[in-house]
Amino acid sequence: MAGGEEVSNKQVILKDYVSGFPKETDLELRTETITLKVPQDSNAILVKILYLSCDPYMRLRMHKTEDESSVFTSYTPASVLTGFGVAKVLDSGHPDFAEGDLIWGTTGWEEYSIITTPETLFKIQHTDVPLSYYTGILGMPGMTAYAGFYEACSPKKGEYVFISAASGAVGQLVGQFAKLMGCYVVGSAGSKEKVDLLKNKFGFDEAFNYKEEHDLNAALKRYFPEGIDIYFENVGGKMLDAVLLNMRVRGRISVCGMISQYNLEQPEGVKNLMSIVYKRVHMEGFVVFDYYHLYSKFLDVVLPYIREGKIVYVEDIAEGLESSPSALVGLFSGRNIGKQVVVVARE
């Protein structure tokens, strides 16, 4: 791009570290200026942000972590949020990227971003599906569902599968992968609307609203009288404790996240861990970045499913960067129905 026009650049800033549930007032919009050209002799690329992904892990970056084992580095107060996004390249100093390329990966929460390590990005080759899908089913959440189910759980036809937070960006996919394998699938979610979605849109065999269950152990026994082979863990806390009592011998638990714990100053303990011994349960945590080398294999599986209508994907779309604080904070009260996406620009 010749010249390097200077334009305004709206950004979303984290004011300070957050304790408890995040609030919209923890974030603010500011406007800076940016030159639409990468610095000379730089390997960076300049992108225009099209879509931003709202993801629960972002909450973990909003407080100062003392845990050196964490895979997430803390955000810096008074600076621009970063997260997964879909963007279009406007200028490039990197040999692998050219003006007009579409990418997904880590970007700023802003209208334009300079990305200094573009080798971490994925170039978008398939544009016959909605570009927003690269924040979800064809992006990090899709890879998370794929790796956490197929790689960590080694599922077999006919197994009994339970998924918590089942209508979210990851859960809705795990359930559909399991159904395509011929498994019996039950999901939990936090509203009647989400439960209906699981059964009627995503094809789960059963689903329940955990908020209406006073005894989670009894609820699981109702849906899994013979026990659970695979639990895809998204919430932690009381749900995990109840699941442990209902696992079958040699069951597998794939630990993706624990959203019920992210806003607590003191995480809840888990009491039923001896079930892992009695039932010889394999419980494995995983991080999606470890599986990025499988991305092309993942696309070979998932793109035909999308094109043939064998998998459906539900997005909750917020319009405009101004709506992003509300959209992100809404994740933690379960306000979103499906994958929460923010549209910054439509090309």
Side-chain angles (χ1 to χ4, degrees):
M1 180 176 279
E5 177 191 357
E6 193 169 273
V7 297
S8 65
N9 187 24
K10 272 189 291 203
Q11 302 173 318
V12 179
I13 308 300
L14 177 69
K15 289 188 196 168
D16 204 350
Y17 291 126
V18 174
S19 63
F21 276 81
K23 306 178 293 298
E24 286 182 48
T25 50
D26 292 322
L27 306 168
E28 69 179 355
L29 285 155
R30 77 175 179 202
T31 303
E32 299 284 334
T33 57
I34 186 170
T35 302
L36 296 183
K37 186 146 187 66
V38 296
Q40 202 158 359
D41 303 322
S42 160
N43 248 1
I45 66 172
L46 169 78
V47 299
K48 178 182 181 179
I49 310 300
L50 305 178
Y51 298 93
L52 291 173
S53 177
C54 296
D55 295 298
Y57 82 88
M58 296 172 73
R59 173 64 187 87
L60 300 172
R61 302 187 64 191
M62 289 181 181
H63 65 86
K64 192 164 179 59
T65 181
E66 308 297 334
D67 183 357
E68 290 179 7
S69 69
S70 174
V71 292
F72 301 116
T73 53
S74 297
Y75 290 128
T76 305
S79 61
V80 181
L81 282 186
T82 58
F84 286 93
V86 172
K88 186 174 191 173
V89 178
L90 297 184
D91 191 29
S92 173
H94 195 285
D96 294 344
F97 296 89
E99 182 184 342
D101 283 349
L102 293 164
I103 60 93
W104 75 266
T106 300
T107 69
W109 273 43
E110 54 192 348
E111 292 177 292
Y112 302 93
S113 273
I114 293 269
I115 299 174
T116 54
T117 53
E119 51 280 357
T120 63
L121 301 171
F122 292 88
K123 211 182 280 192
I124 293 173
Q125 313 285 5
H126 305 276
T127 55
D128 61 324
V129 292
L131 280 180
S132 58
Y133 277 16
Y134 290 93
T135 67
I137 185 171
L138 295 176
M140 181 275 289
M143 271 302 296
T144 301
Y146 178 86
F149 184 62
Y150 292 117
E151 300 292 324
C153 292
S154 307
K156 295 185 279 294
K157 183 178 179 179
E159 289 196 308
Y160 303 132
V161 177
F162 177 53
I163 302 150
S164 54
S167 68
V170 175
Q172 58 173 292
L173 287 174
V174 176
Q176 292 179 85
F177 288 154
K179 284 305 298 174
L180 285 163
M181 278 209 76
C183 297
Y184 168 78
V185 182
V186 178
S188 65
S191 73
K192 182 184 183 306
E193 186 179 359
K194 291 178 182 180
V195 167
D196 289 346
L197 197 65
L198 293 175
K199 293 199 285 193
N200 302 326
K201 183 99 176 172
F202 301 135
F204 283 52
D205 294 287
E206 289 289 351
F208 65 91
N209 180 351
Y210 69 89
K211 293 176 182 173
E212 292 179 351
E213 300 291 344
H214 305 298
D215 183 340
L216 291 172
N217 179 27
L220 291 172
K221 282 188 168 39
R222 195 164 73 238
Y223 292 107
F224 294 99
E226 295 178 43
I228 298 166
D229 290 300
I230 290 174
Y231 173 44
F232 197 95
E233 165 68 303
N234 286 314
V235 303
K238 294 179 178 63
M239 184 65 84
L240 174 58
D241 239 354
V243 167
L244 287 168
L245 295 175
N246 288 278
M247 292 301 293
R248 301 182 82 185
V249 171
R250 307 218 178 278
R252 284 88 72 207
I253 299 176
S254 180
V255 185
C256 173
M258 295 191 174
I259 195 170
S260 73
Q261 306 300 295
Y262 296 168
N263 300 306
L264 303 180
E265 293 296 298
Q266 195 62 45
E268 293 172 319
V270 177
K271 302 184 183 73
N272 297 322
L273 284 171
M274 272 306 286
S275 294
I276 292 176
V277 178
Y278 303 147
K279 302 281 182 65
R280 284 79 94 198
V281 170
H282 180 86
M283 185 171 178
E284 181 180 357
F286 74 99
V287 176
V288 67
F289 315 136
D290 294 343
Y291 295 92
Y292 274 178
H293 63 284
L294 298 177
Y295 186 63
S296 60
K297 180 181 166 191
F298 159 77
L299 287 181
D300 289 344
V301 170
V302 176
L303 278 167
Y305 282 156
I306 295 171
R307 290 171 181 146
E308 293 160 23
K310 289 182 177 171
I311 280 186
V312 292
Y313 199 62
V314 171
E315 298 175 307
D316 193 323
I317 293 184
E319 292 282 345
L321 194 64
E322 303 79 7
S323 69
S324 59
S326 165
L328 179 58
V329 168
L331 289 179
F332 301 99
S333 59
R335 197 174 67 212
N336 56 302
I337 307 284
K339 166 69 199 167
Q340 184 66 67
V341 183
V342 177
V343 182
V344 181
R346 296 185 188 274
E347 287 278 347

